[in-house]
């Protein structure tokens, strides 16, 4: 890094883009502070009771993903089916409830039934910049990475 002379006048300007309503709120639906507005890909099924973790099967790129939409709907894909439903999320309590989850009627393969059953039992979440963990009451969870 070049060294500046002691008398150099250095200034920086922080530019924060305005949101649609004109405020400078830095958190929008596509930032790390929200699950909304991006595609989440399942990386595995975990169990907090015994610290086990299982990669989903089949491991195809087009399986096991979900998008949480701003209108509180969700859509995605299980092992074989397009899925859709609704959700309610509370960021203060880290709670989330998925409802009316259904999809096309092709028989699930491999971990498809486990995925659908787990999604229906989600109660809370943890969110990081690149991942979200969706937890069930029984200590089991789904881990997703942001795409």
């Amino acid at each position: 890094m070049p060294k500046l002379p002691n008398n150099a006048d250095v200034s920086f300007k922080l530019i924060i883009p305005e949101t649609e309503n004109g405020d400078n709120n830095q958190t929008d639906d596509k930032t790390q502070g929200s699950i909304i507005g991006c595609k989440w890909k399942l990386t595995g099924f975990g169990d907090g009771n015994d610290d086990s973790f299982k990669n989903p099967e089949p491991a195809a790129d087009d399986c096991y993903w979900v998008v949480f939409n701003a209108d509180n709907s969700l859509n995605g894909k299980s092992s074989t089916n397009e899925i859709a439903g609704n959700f309610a999320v509370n960021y203060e309590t880290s709670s989330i409830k998925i409802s009316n989850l259904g999809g096309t009627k092709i028989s699930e393969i491999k971990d498809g039934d486990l995925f659908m059953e787990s999604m229906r039992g989600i109660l809370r979440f943890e969110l990081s910049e690149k991942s979200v963990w969706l937890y069930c009451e029984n200590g089991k969870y789904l881990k997703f990475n942001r795409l």
Side-chain angles (χ1 to χ4, degrees):
M1 177 183 235
K3 189 164 183 141
L4 296 172
N6 289 341
N7 62 350
D9 182 21
V10 179
S11 62
F12 297 93
K13 183 176 182 181
L14 178 63
I15 300 173
I16 301 171
E18 291 186 351
T19 59
E20 288 179 18
N21 63 5
D23 68 15
N24 286 338
N25 183 349
Q26 294 182 39
T27 303
D28 70 21
D29 290 342
K30 294 180 182 170
T31 64
Q32 77 178 48
S34 178
I35 63 170
I36 297 172
C38 68
K39 189 173 185 179
W40 297 96
K41 172 75 172 146
L42 182 70
T43 61
F45 301 93
D47 188 334
N49 299 311
D50 63 10
D51 293 328
S52 62
F53 191 80
K54 175 189 180 325
N55 294 325
E57 294 180 27
D61 287 341
D62 65 338
C63 293
Y64 306 119
W65 59 268
V66 66
V67 175
F68 296 96
N69 301 303
D71 65 356
N72 292 90
S73 68
L74 67 85
N75 61 287
K77 179 107 186 271
S78 64
S79 64
T80 55
N81 292 293
E82 300 291 326
I83 63 171
N86 302 100
F87 72 98
V89 64
N90 182 321
Y91 290 96
E92 289 182 18
T93 62
S94 298
S95 63
I96 184 168
K97 177 68 178 159
I98 295 174
S99 59
N100 303 318
L101 186 64
T104 52
K105 300 295 182 190
I106 301 169
S107 295
E108 296 289 350
I109 59 172
K110 306 270 182 169
D111 291 323
D113 288 328
L114 175 60
F115 176 75
M116 293 300 288
E117 178 185 323
S118 298
M119 289 292 289
R120 288 184 180 105
I122 299 300
L123 298 174
R124 66 180 184 85
F125 69 96
E126 290 180 19
L127 183 63
S128 74
E129 182 178 346
K130 296 181 181 178
S131 301
V132 65
W133 294 261
L134 301 178
Y135 293 92
C136 299
E137 184 176 38
N138 59 6
K140 297 186 179 184
Y141 64 91
L142 304 174
K143 182 184 178 204
F144 291 83
N145 283 347
R146 185 185 303 264
L147 294 181

